[in-house]
Amino acid sequence: MSQSVTEQPSVIYLKDYQTPAFLVESTALRFELEEEQALVRSQVQYTRNPDSADRLRPLILDGHESLELHRLSIDGEVLNEQDYRRQGEQLIISELPDSFVLECVTRIEPQNNTALEGLYKSDGMFCTQCEAEGFRRITFYQDRPDVMAVFETTVVADKQSYPVLLSNGNNVDSGEEDDGRHWVRWQDPFPKPAYLFALVAGNLEFIEDQYTTASGRDVVLRIFAEAKDLDKLDHAMLSLKRSMQWDEQVYGREYDLDIFMVVAVDFFNMGAMENKGLNIFNTSCVLAHPETTVDTGFQRVEGVVGHEYFHNWSGNRVTCRDWFQLSLKEGFTVFRDAEFSADMNSRTVKRIEDVTLLRTAQFAEDSGPMAHAVRPASFIEISNFYTLTVYEKGAEIVRMLHTLLGEHKFRQGSDLYFKRHDGQAVTTDDFVQAMADVSGRDMTRFKLWYSQAGTPRVAVSGEYDAASQRYTLHMRQSCSPTPEMETKQPFLIPVAMGLLDQHGRDITLASGNTTEVLELVSTEQSFVFENIPVEPVPSLLRGFSAPVKLSFPYDQEQLVFLMQHDSDGFNRWDAAQQLAVSILQKLITDYQQGSPLVLDNALIDAYRLVMSDVSLDKAMVAKVLSLPSEAYLSELSDEIDVDAIYQVRKFVRQTLAKALESEFLSLYQSNCSGDSYSPDAASVARRSLKNLALSYLMATERTEYLALARDQFAQADNMTDSQAALSLVAHSVHEQAADELLEQFYQRWQNESLVVNQWLAIQAANTREAGLQRVEKLLTHPAYDASNPNKIRSLVAVFCAQNLPNFHNLDGSGYRFLADQIIVLNKQNPQIASRLLTPLTRWKQYSEARQSLMKAELERIGNSGDLSKDVYEVLSKSLAQ
Ligand code: B3K
Ligand code: ZN
């Protein structure tokens, strides 16, 4: 469905939810796959829903306008055109019996499906993506998550071209036909909504393993990919087995089918999809090999495999009633995968990474035109709500419940939730109710986290009275207005905290603990601590216990003190961040006023301290020594001054590099190792520190370090070291060397699509002048494919999000380029088009000159013709600011 910017789009409201008029007992599907079409026959057993008050309600089926309807019959009787109505995306049938079988034959063209939703082709293989509303591109159905059915699926295709035919559940039968075609039948005994349906047909190979569940059931594990990628599946298999075991140990959840399959596909709109028993993955989230994959890639595979696997319970066995409840499964599952990754690697580092993402991207979303509650009240296109707010902030809500209840009660709550709702489609209220029931707590105020958008601010001050040995923390919370919500009620904010004495030791608090969780529930509140012998330094929001912007008037000395002594690893890192942010922000003001830039020695001294602190783990050191990103500095600015942020950050990096050159060199040397590659946490940490040191050495612009980087590039036996060196040289002042290495790298890896994506991304991020021309040239390079989302993300999205000086060029060329891309993608792949809009939606935060350039491009997109619902929604909300 497409609309012009002036047409009224239909907005869907949570308050309008109605139970479905009919329930589905069973769904049988038959797919005849051919090169020019697919014929889909569905036979669905419907019964009128006893919970639906109106017994005369018609059956309303969803069906995309691209569906060609060939036949519709009820209990074997063919319907004529006057027996039903096709209206927009719906097919409506009235006057139905209470129970009947509806048979429907549709014709679709997967080979022309460029939106990559429903049934489409990726590199010659058929695959599906049905969440959220892709099933309606396959057949007419009640395509909503609260309609759950058992599925039987028969797939028929040419045997030579498509030897592997997969669907959900267990393989129950198969056979051959005379004409070279074959078929396989799958049955999934667990009732599921249509969004969890999956089908794959292709020329695939697989690796196989097995897992015995805690109760002794054997499960076959298969991971499928094209033959050339078969050597890149071991890490995913290991991650899968670890996930299965972790979910048994931590949540008491076992796998429930006899087989669990994962398929890697190259054309995919997002990371992966948790279809029951048949997960489909973007190759970027499943393939891993030391020679072609960087350390963060290995960790991403582990995290995403875990995430999709954990959905089997948090998402599939217990699913969402409607799409407003998306965070029910996504927030909970992100929390689960984060804890899994924390248990497999460094807990503190994982937390630092997640909070960094939240503070940069989610906080920006929460203060922009698309700001929405974790459980939104309305949407135009649900695909636009697979956001950092629903996922990451949603996970923070679950983490807060965990903090408030404690490990043991939280587990009881989760057990109750799964037991009470197994096989049901439920709401975030149901989830919180299970936690309320096991803890006896009233969660009314807590639930505001689901319904109120915006990032709360918490301003804290401390007051010490030596005579009475009393320390008081005064807190004040507020939350800025967001679209459609002017005023907010106070949130329940759990503030985990401790107090440090003059030696940096934790003071034991009245509870007998050194960390306490304060519950801030009103606008203003004070917390009193008795028997505090000296004026303490408070350590606040330990482990980032709530998704808020907390401020305390620390001076530099106190921040350095916390950096050295805080028993909470996250807060040690955060103190360093706060120190760096305050110094950078002051320099940004100096730059804007034309004052000379001079770096405060406090930062240099703090860095030196960290480098010599042997108690810290290497990954932590690397995190502490990384300056806050341009994106984070932008998020913290009232008006984003692109040039100042870019120049100041570069100046600070260079000054640190020169001041600490010998320290960085010895850090580099002491972390080089002759050991063969392993993606374990300690080795990853060592490489991250080594490559961070190399990045500072390269920032000095001295030629001897170019030689060092070139050596590393030439000798590396793994992609992490090779790519780190390439990216540093490519972004350096040594242009000739940059070109040489980029060429060598391409020659070597041109047949590895995922490596080529990295090669594109490195060039897209290059801030040297004429960045746009380089990107435009790459658009026509054989390495690029404008229909593959991974390529678009690597080149276009990276340029627009990470190449500040070039994208924000004051001649407007960067903005124009992005708008041109969106206008094309709006027709081809609306989901990707709408995602790409993000940098332009922030137009209000820039200088007037940039504002008008960005706004003009948004308007040009609006006037470019039929807009998809996806683009329409983001565009109209952006322009309405
Ligand atoms: N549930 C899918 C997301 C589907 C997005 C569709 N637009 C992946 C995940 O969160 O696990
Ligand atoms: Zn998910």
Side-chain angles (χ1 to χ4, degrees):
M1 175 96 124
S2 43
Q3 22 227 136
S4 95
V5 79
T6 47
E7 262 176 55
Q8 200 64 12
S10 52
V11 181
I12 304 177
Y13 294 93
L14 166 61
K15 63 178 167 45
D16 293 342
Y17 172 82
Q18 279 197 321
T19 62
F22 288 85
L23 302 177
V24 177
E25 306 268 295
S26 64
T27 299
L29 300 167
R30 181 181 170 90
F31 288 80
E32 295 272 357
L33 303 177
E34 292 167 24
E35 293 311 308
E36 301 303 321
Q37 65 170 26
L39 286 178
V40 185
R41 189 182 75 200
S42 62
Q43 288 167 300
V44 182
Q45 168 75 56
Y46 288 98
T47 49
R48 197 169 275 283
N49 184 356
D51 292 343
S52 172
D54 179 358
R55 312 289 298 163
L56 295 173
R57 273 168 70 195
L59 174 66
I60 302 180
L61 301 178
D62 304 290
H64 190 254
E65 59 187 8
S66 61
L67 286 185
E68 210 178 287
L69 179 58
H70 278 203
R71 207 177 102 95
L72 206 53
S73 71
I74 288 187
D75 292 330
E77 291 229 3
V78 176
L79 299 192
N80 298 317
E81 280 189 16
Q82 62 271 23
D83 299 330
Y84 60 87
R85 258 184 311 138
R86 219 177 147 171
Q87 200 177 297
E89 287 225 323
Q90 292 181 335
L91 190 146
I92 303 162
I93 314 175
S94 309
E95 294 170 40
L96 286 163
D98 283 350
S99 169
F100 59 92
V101 174
L102 181 80
E103 186 180 306
C104 169
V105 178
T106 53
R107 180 188 173 274
I108 52 179
E109 296 185 350
Q111 75 282 4
N112 296 327
N113 180 348
T114 57
L116 314 186
E117 264 196 294
L119 178 64
Y120 65 94
K121 279 191 112 172
S122 166
D123 258 348
M125 80 174 94
F126 289 93
C127 62
T128 51
Q129 171 53 37
C130 294
E131 188 179 356
E133 298 179 337
F135 195 74
R136 63 188 60 186
R137 290 168 180 262
I138 293 174
T139 187
F140 290 95
Y141 200 74
Q142 293 185 106
D143 189 10
R144 42 186 290 171
D146 56 354
V147 171
M148 299 170 85
V150 290
F151 277 64
E152 180 187 274
T153 306
T154 307
V155 189
V156 193
D158 180 71
K159 188 169 183 181
Q160 206 176 354
S161 306
Y162 310 99
V164 173
L165 306 175
L166 310 173
S167 190
N168 317 85
N170 303 311
N171 178 336
V172 292
D173 202 359
S174 59
E176 310 243 338
E177 295 182 348
D178 298 337
D179 52 359
R181 292 167 71 76
H182 70 146
W183 59 271
V184 181
R185 181 162 304 138
W186 295 84
Q187 269 173 0
D188 178 3
F190 291 95
K192 64 168 178 290
Y195 83 86
L196 290 171
F197 169 78
L199 175 158
V200 169
N203 189 358
L204 295 160
E205 299 199 4
F206 63 87
I207 63 165
E208 182 171 303
D209 206 332
Q210 71 97 46
Y211 182 84
T212 306
T213 68
S215 65
R217 274 189 343 97
D218 289 332
V219 182
V220 174
L221 312 175
R222 284 190 187 160
I223 307 187
F224 295 78
E226 288 181 48
K228 66 177 171 59
D229 291 324
L230 215 57
D231 62 338
K232 305 185 189 79
L233 300 176
D234 295 342
H235 184 66
M237 185 62 91
L238 188 65
S239 304
L240 175 59
K241 288 190 286 182
R242 285 179 179 159
S243 307
M244 296 178 88
Q245 193 173 32
W246 187 89
D247 214 12
E248 289 177 352
Q249 285 168 350
V250 181
Y251 281 86
R253 301 290 119 201
E254 279 190 28
Y255 188 62
D256 47 14
L257 286 164
D258 303 335
I259 185 163
F260 186 84
M261 298 176 283
V262 170
V263 181
V265 304
D266 209 27
F267 285 64
F268 208 63
N269 281 345
M270 66 282 162
M273 178 65 213
E274 70 266 24
N275 317 301
K276 181 79 188 191
L278 178 56
N279 289 358
I280 299 184
F281 272 60
N282 188 323
T283 45
S284 70
C285 293
V286 61
L287 305 183
H289 188 282
E291 283 185 13
T292 51
T293 311
V294 296
D295 288 337
T296 48
F298 272 85
Q299 287 174 339
R300 180 155 170 77
V301 168
E302 180 179 75
V304 180
V305 167
H307 180 98
E308 305 310 332
Y309 175 74
F310 302 142
H311 266 316
N312 190 52
W313 276 95
S314 49
N316 301 3
R317 290 286 287 255
V318 182
T319 195
C320 305
R321 187 193 72 173
D322 54 73
W323 291 122
F324 298 99
Q325 319 296 330
L326 181 56
S327 196
L328 173 79
K329 72 179 180 79
E330 297 305 345
F332 190 19
T333 306
V334 171
F335 173 70
R336 277 151 56 70
D337 87 55
E339 287 295 294
F340 167 63
S341 292
D343 284 344
M344 298 297 124
N345 304 286
S346 155
R347 175 163 286 273
T348 305
V349 169
K350 173 67 180 156
R351 190 68 187 134
I352 290 170
E353 286 166 358
D354 289 349
V355 173
T356 301
L357 176 67
L358 194 83
R359 276 182 173 163
T360 50
Q362 196 279 323
F363 283 10
E365 190 167 274
D366 238 352
S367 63
M370 277 293 288
H372 54 275
V374 170
R375 186 193 58 212
S378 69
F379 61 73
I380 292 175
E381 170 53 63
I382 185 58
S383 298
N384 285 329
F385 287 79
Y386 287 76
T387 58
L388 290 155
T389 300
V390 166
Y391 276 64
E392 307 299 323
K393 188 175 178 180
E396 294 300 320
I397 298 180
V398 179
R399 181 175 297 279
M400 287 190 283
L401 283 170
H402 187 272
T403 302
L404 290 167
L405 266 64
E407 182 79 43
H408 181 65
K409 283 275 171 220
F410 180 86
R411 168 67 193 268
Q412 282 185 339
S414 136
D415 286 351
L416 177 62
Y417 167 73
F418 287 126
K419 184 163 167 244
R420 192 182 267 174
H421 299 296
D422 189 7
Q424 298 178 1
V426 301
T427 64
T428 55
D429 283 342
D430 294 319
F431 180 75
V432 177
Q433 193 55 49
M435 296 294 166
D437 288 348
V438 294
S439 63
R441 290 184 61 129
D442 177 359
M443 292 287 182
T444 314
R445 181 165 302 281
F446 182 81
K447 286 202 291 189
L448 294 170
W449 282 108
Y450 284 103
S451 57
Q452 297 189 149
T455 308
R457 286 178 191 272
V458 180
V460 187
S461 61
E463 189 188 338
Y464 184 62
D465 179 28
S468 58
Q469 304 213 330
R470 175 180 295 155
Y471 184 68
T472 309
L473 283 172
H474 302 288
M475 302 196 187
R476 193 187 154 76
Q477 63 162 303
S478 60
C479 184
S480 305
T482 41
E484 286 151 33
M485 204 181 274
E486 193 62 27
T487 53
K488 318 280 168 78
Q489 292 172 250
F491 292 85
L492 189 170
I493 302 176
V495 181
M497 52 73 66
L499 299 176
L500 275 62
D501 71 12
Q502 72 272 37
H503 307 292
R505 287 183 299 237
D506 271 328
I507 297 174
T508 303
L509 305 171
S511 59
N513 301 318
T514 53
T515 296
E516 254 179 35
V517 179
L518 309 177
E519 295 187 19
L520 175 60
V521 292
S522 32
T523 308
E524 277 184 78
Q525 212 170 321
S526 296
F527 299 88
V528 178
F529 301 87
E530 305 283 359
N531 302 318
I532 305 298
V534 286
E535 174 157 16
V537 177
S539 163
L540 300 166
L541 210 67
R542 282 183 162 171
F544 201 67
S545 58
V548 299
K549 293 186 172 187
L550 183 138
S551 60
F552 183 88
Y554 291 115
D555 59 30
Q556 282 191 351
E557 245 172 81
Q558 288 174 314
L559 289 173
V560 173
F561 180 79
L562 286 169
M563 256 176 80
Q564 288 178 276
H565 299 295
D566 203 321
S567 60
D568 183 72
F570 175 84
N571 270 11
R572 287 182 79 170
W573 167 81
D574 199 32
Q577 280 280 297
Q578 287 185 48
L579 179 67
V581 164
S582 69
I583 289 171
L584 282 154
Q585 282 179 329
K586 174 165 180 312
L587 286 170
I588 288 171
T589 311
D590 291 345
Y591 180 92
Q592 288 164 334
Q593 291 168 350
S595 312
L597 298 182
V598 183
L599 178 59
D600 195 323
N601 276 331
L603 194 62
I604 302 176
D605 294 341
Y607 270 38
R608 195 175 280 120
L609 264 177
V610 172
M611 287 195 239
S612 59
D613 188 341
V614 288
S615 73
L616 283 174
D617 108 58
K618 288 179 198 266
M620 256 300 268
V621 177
K623 289 286 172 208
V624 174
L625 298 182
S626 301
L627 287 176
S629 66
E630 289 156 345
Y632 186 44
L633 293 168
S634 300
E635 204 287 316
L636 292 173
S637 313
D638 292 328
E639 179 184 305
I640 304 173
D641 184 337
V642 176
D643 314 276
I645 290 173
Y646 175 71
Q647 295 298 345
V648 163
R649 194 171 177 282
K650 192 168 158 188
F651 161 79
V652 172
R653 270 181 62 76
Q654 236 167 29
T655 312
L656 285 166
K658 288 179 183 155
L660 299 165
E661 187 178 341
S662 60
E663 286 89 342
F664 280 122
L665 184 59
S666 65
L667 205 57
Y668 179 79
Q669 287 161 339
S670 61
N671 284 292
C672 286
S673 141
D675 297 350
S676 65
Y677 179 88
S678 152
D680 66 90
S683 313
V684 170
R686 183 182 54 69
R687 278 188 293 275
S688 69
L689 190 52
K690 175 184 73 172
N691 287 320
L692 180 96
L694 184 61
S695 78
Y696 277 105
L697 294 172
M698 285 293 287
T700 64
E701 297 185 358
R702 290 164 60 110
T703 38
E704 64 225 67
Y705 300 125
L706 171 64
L708 200 62
R710 292 193 76 138
D711 275 357
Q712 175 169 320
F713 181 78
Q715 282 158 24
D717 69 346
N718 66 81
M719 186 50 77
T720 307
D721 287 340
S722 157
Q723 194 180 295
L726 173 69
S727 151
L728 291 171
V729 174
H731 296 171
S732 74
V733 289
H734 313 288
E735 288 190 34
Q736 200 191 331
D739 292 345
E740 268 172 44
L741 262 53
L742 282 165
E743 183 56 25
Q744 273 181 37
F745 190 83
Y746 182 71
Q747 288 309 329
R748 169 142 190 224
W749 298 112
Q750 55 183 307
N751 296 323
E752 290 290 346
S753 182
L754 295 176
V755 183
V756 171
N757 294 348
Q758 298 303 313
W759 178 81
L760 291 169
I762 288 171
Q763 296 175 87
N766 188 347
T767 55
R768 209 185 296 143
E769 264 181 32
L772 179 60
Q773 284 86 323
R774 288 191 299 276
V775 168
E776 281 176 330
K777 206 168 153 209
L778 287 168
L779 289 176
T780 60
H781 192 283
Y784 192 69
D785 177 349
S787 64
N788 183 327
N790 286 351
K791 305 285 173 203
I792 301 169
R793 278 187 278 261
S794 302
L795 192 59
V796 182
V798 168
F799 174 75
C800 299
Q802 292 174 32
N803 197 331
L804 250 50
N806 282 299
F807 175 64
H808 292 283
N809 193 323
L810 271 169
D811 66 6
S813 56
Y815 307 148
R816 193 157 55 241
F817 163 74
L818 178 55
D820 287 340
Q821 291 286 320
I822 290 167
I823 289 169
V824 173
L825 280 165
N826 168 59
K827 297 214 162 59
Q828 183 188 309
N829 186 330
Q831 274 184 33
I832 300 290
S834 142
R835 291 264 151 163
L836 278 184
L837 262 172
T838 309
L840 287 175
T841 63
R842 310 262 154 88
W843 61 278
K844 273 251 159 145
Q845 285 156 279
Y846 293 87
S847 65
E848 261 178 48
R850 289 196 168 100
Q851 281 198 16
S852 58
L853 290 166
M854 293 169 107
K855 189 163 178 246
E857 293 305 330
L858 286 173
E859 284 164 350
R860 188 161 68 86
I861 298 170
N863 294 326
S864 69
D866 277 357
L867 291 188
S868 57
K869 283 200 284 185
D870 309 60
V871 171
Y872 173 85
E873 177 168 39
V874 177
L875 191 79
S876 56
K877 290 182 176 171
S878 304
L879 285 169
Q881 307 178 70

